[in-house]
Amino acid sequence: MARANNPLNVFKGPDALHRYFQPDENPPLPLVELPDALNPLREDGVRIFAKLLTALPAQNVKSLPGISGSTVLSLGMISRALWGHDDVYAYVTNKKPVESLRLLRFFGLKVSLYGGLAQQEPSDPKGIMSRLRRMANDDPEKVCYLGQYDNDGNWRSHEKWTGRQIWEQLPEVNVLCSTIGTGGCITGTGKYLKEKKPSVKVVGVCNVFGDPTPGPRHFPGFESSPFPWREVIDSFEQVKSADSFRMSMRLSRHGIIAGPSSGEALHGLLAHLTVAKEEGRLQEMADPDTGEINCVFLCADLPYQYMDMYYTKLGEEEFPPIYNEGLLDVDQNPYDERWFLSPSDVAELLYQECSEDFFESHEPLCMVPSSCACDAGRVRFSPPPKSEEPGLFPEPFSSSESLPTSSASDSTMFSVPSPPSSIFSAATTASEGITESNLRIIDIRPRADYLSSHLRNTRSVPLTITKEDFFGDAEAVRERWLEMRDAFEGLDDGWDEKGKVLVICLDGDSGAMATSMLRARGREAFCVTGGFGKLEEFLGGRGRWELDVD
């Protein structure tokens, strides 16, 4: 066979895509036997095999008739790859799930919706297929209607490839089962197998009337098909949509990734075999030599585009639980490591946002254990005070003013000058000796930690939760996020302005959350990796500014 010339499954050269989509240039599609967990009739000699048509290059059974001249409804990629056409329209019902429409557009198809009945009779003169046929007849030079419901290339492609592959892989096959959409897959595959082995039974599976599963049709909508299905299909089964989705999910959980149409085929097959067993007819299908009943069902779709429908069709109890579900409505904004600054990055940010000589003449840390008027929230610095001992007083205080000392009961006494009230007045300008930037700093550590040491001119927004590694506790994450949200919503004094924001926290985690929240609100926020301790260590510690008084 031609595929023997390509044993390594490699496609090279200018015709690589053409060869890739040619079934004869590929290995046969997988035929996988189901485990006993999915085959309740194994002890009765039943063996069930899944023919994975989803393993085609396009991951879609439609690619086979597409190559032979029939439908490319969901395969815009095929038309572009093989024939260079990108002006392809998919005419689909407006009841189609949004996920399916997105999939069509993802693959480059132009989607044209129609209203009314979703699954229309191909022969209905007012139906979508009849309108498309008329459109193609009126302008054959520009419009090509591929006619998946009446183009013999549809079923013949499966006679040529799907049926032949199954026969070569499993000549002992006794039963073929497939859902019925256009009817091309079951007709062509079944026709080939019956020609090779007339005893093969073919079971067609349809939707329950009024309860559709995506892809297959109900029997009244299929009966008028012009394909030679009557000489192929021996019996029909009807399957409810919930059973189709449920069986699809069971297949997928066991490693056979399959959509609802595939689940419908397996459910219909098992229903057919179970009835035969109950009526004592099961062994009539068995191989006379082995006594086994080898069944093949066709997997023609994948589950991903129907994911929302699984949760609509099936009960919540059929899915594993979500633990820590309370996190689904908090902390939903993205985190980005580019917003997490190292201590050296923070120092550079301060240097850029403050006066150029700041680090030459100022100490960025404030160690005042009482009200120091740093809660301005915007970086503002004045030149250092004139003094015989430069740096003795924390900037921007004046040596002529002092704060009250701590009580006599304190073991450490501080004598610290107090700032002129005008220093933090909104009316103060750079011409008065103040350097003002657009950087705002907020410190979300508990108040006691803030008073012990902080960056100058930060705004204290103390949060209460101090649990170490709070990201490891779902309830702590929720509580911290809600507390942070409320705290930020309460900020005033120009916090809706533009400009950079630097968030200071204990260990970096809360700062990361705060940065994420502020970014979602449009602020250019950053935080400190490792929290204030790492930043304090980098900036030189607190020793230079602590005044011990006997």
Side-chain angles (χ1 to χ4, degrees):
M1 298 177 63
R3 58 178 170 266
N5 296 325
N6 188 23
L8 297 181
N9 207 22
V10 176
F11 306 89
K12 296 181 180 180
D15 64 341
L17 276 177
H18 287 261
R19 294 177 56 228
Y20 174 57
F21 280 103
Q22 287 295 330
D24 289 332
E25 292 286 338
N26 287 268
L29 300 175
L31 186 69
V32 184
E33 184 170 6
L34 300 188
D36 291 353
L38 293 172
N39 180 6
L41 299 173
R42 185 66 186 91
E43 293 184 357
D44 297 292
V46 174
R47 303 180 68 177
I48 302 176
F49 297 81
K51 179 62 173 176
L52 302 184
L53 299 180
T54 51
L56 285 160
Q59 298 184 333
N60 190 305
V61 67
K62 301 289 188 180
S63 63
L64 290 183
I67 291 171
S68 64
S70 186
T71 179
V72 288
L73 181 62
S74 61
L75 293 169
M77 71 187 100
I78 294 288
S79 63
R80 183 177 288 104
L82 300 189
W83 304 300
H85 297 315
D86 58 9
D87 193 22
V88 181
Y89 288 78
Y91 289 82
V92 296
T93 172
N94 62 345
K95 284 77 175 174
K96 199 80 165 174
V98 173
E99 295 84 356
S100 298
L101 300 180
R102 288 175 175 170
L103 183 67
L104 295 174
R105 296 171 66 201
F106 175 85
F107 284 112
L109 280 90
K110 301 171 183 178
V111 177
S112 181
L113 301 177
Y114 62 84
L117 192 65
Q119 289 186 328
Q120 301 180 0
E121 282 280 355
S123 58
D124 183 354
K126 294 184 178 180
I128 184 63
M129 275 73 82
S130 294
R131 292 200 297 271
L132 293 176
R133 278 192 292 269
R134 289 194 296 269
M135 186 186 301
N137 291 333
D138 292 342
D139 193 358
E141 296 297 324
K142 294 183 179 180
V143 180
C144 176
Y145 170 59
L146 299 175
Q148 60 177 325
Y149 288 93
D150 50 31
N151 188 330
D152 284 341
N154 186 341
W155 67 269
R156 290 190 185 279
S157 67
H158 292 285
E159 181 184 38
K160 179 178 181 181
W161 287 306
T162 309
R164 185 187 66 185
Q165 281 192 14
I166 292 175
W167 178 251
E168 293 176 348
Q169 294 171 313
L170 193 73
E172 61 270 32
V173 59
N174 305 111
V175 179
L176 171 72
C177 184
S178 173
T179 53
I180 297 172
T182 64
C185 190
I186 190 171
T187 299
T189 305
K191 190 172 187 300
Y192 185 93
L193 293 178
K194 280 183 172 290
E195 288 175 352
K196 291 293 185 179
K197 188 176 182 179
S199 63
V200 169
K201 301 299 181 185
V202 177
V203 180
V205 184
C206 299
N207 295 332
V208 171
F209 191 42
D211 182 22
T213 293
R217 301 160 71 192
H218 51 69
F219 182 75
F222 171 70
E223 193 172 10
S224 62
S225 170
F227 297 159
W229 60 269
R230 289 176 175 81
E231 61 191 71
V232 173
I233 301 177
D234 297 294
S235 59
F236 290 87
E237 296 289 340
Q238 294 184 347
V239 175
K240 297 178 180 179
S241 62
D243 292 330
S244 302
F245 279 88
R246 184 176 295 108
M247 187 61 76
S248 159
M249 190 166 66
R250 290 191 63 203
L251 280 166
S252 297
R253 289 177 177 180
H254 281 82
I256 305 223
I257 312 301
S261 173
S262 308
E264 182 169 305
L266 177 56
H267 188 93
L269 172 63
L270 290 174
H272 181 79
L273 296 174
T274 300
V275 170
K277 176 182 177 181
E278 292 172 351
E279 296 178 352
R281 297 182 291 102
L282 189 59
Q283 287 304 308
E284 295 177 7
M285 308 178 197
D287 184 280
D289 297 326
T290 65
E292 292 183 332
I293 305 167
N294 294 281
C295 308
V296 176
F297 73 99
L298 303 183
C299 291
D301 63 344
L302 293 169
Y304 308 111
Q305 69 188 91
Y306 307 110
M307 201 53 59
D308 284 349
M309 297 184 70
Y310 284 88
Y311 289 86
T312 300
K313 295 286 185 179
L314 305 179
E316 185 65 26
E317 70 279 0
E318 300 197 41
F319 300 91
I322 297 177
Y323 297 98
N324 303 323
E325 197 167 3
L327 295 183
L328 289 178
D329 59 354
V330 302
D331 196 27
Q332 293 293 298
N333 303 316
Y335 287 55
D336 190 325
E337 292 181 350
R338 293 173 296 178
W339 308 335
F340 306 163
L341 304 183
S342 67
S344 62
D345 291 333
V346 173
E348 179 66 22
L349 178 65
L350 292 172
Y351 181 82
Q352 292 173 352
E353 294 296 327
C354 308
S355 59
E356 294 183 0
D357 65 341
F358 172 66
F359 283 104
E360 296 178 3
S361 56
H362 294 73
E363 171 60 50
L365 298 174
C366 179
M367 310 294 177
V368 182
S370 60
S371 178
C372 63
C374 279
D375 282 349
R378 183 191 296 274
V379 175
R380 294 173 178 171
F381 299 102
S382 66
K386 301 289 185 180
S387 172
E388 295 180 358
E389 299 179 74
L392 178 61
F393 300 107
E395 176 280 323
F397 302 154
S398 167
S399 60
S400 63
E401 303 179 58
S402 63
L403 290 170
T405 60
S406 57
S407 65
S409 62
D410 292 336
S411 59
T412 303
M413 305 293 290
F414 293 84
S415 177
V416 187
S418 62
S421 59
S422 62
I423 287 287
F424 298 98
S425 169
T428 305
T429 64
S431 63
E432 298 174 277
I434 301 299
T435 300
E436 181 172 340
S437 79
N438 287 324
L439 176 66
R440 289 181 177 274
I441 306 175
I442 57 175
D443 192 321
I444 59 177
R445 294 176 298 154
R447 187 67 177 177
D449 293 281
Y450 171 83
L451 291 177
S452 175
S453 176
H454 53 262
L455 281 179
R456 291 194 176 283
N457 301 105
T458 61
R459 179 162 185 171
S460 176
V461 184
L463 303 182
T464 59
I465 298 176
T466 59
K467 182 172 184 176
E468 185 177 352
D469 186 26
F470 75 89
F471 278 125
D473 184 332
E475 188 56 35
V477 170
R478 181 176 178 81
E479 291 177 359
R480 167 49 54 93
W481 188 89
L482 293 173
E483 181 185 24
M484 192 176 293
R485 179 200 62 185
D486 293 342
F488 288 171
E489 287 180 351
L491 288 176
D492 51 12
D493 190 26
W495 275 88
D496 288 332
E497 298 175 5
K498 299 298 182 182
K500 295 183 177 68
V501 177
L502 178 64
V503 182
I504 306 296
C505 72
L506 284 173
D507 61 3
D509 290 343
S510 292
M513 178 183 285
T515 298
S516 170
M517 184 180 293
L518 290 170
R519 286 272 176 171
R521 298 184 181 199
R523 299 305 303 268
E524 189 180 0
F526 301 92
C527 61
V528 185
T529 300
F532 182 77
K534 294 294 183 182
L535 179 61
E536 183 180 43
E537 180 182 344
F538 180 83
L539 293 178
R542 55 182 293 181
R544 179 181 175 190
W545 298 108
E546 186 170 74
L547 305 177
D548 294 327
V549 180
D550 294 332

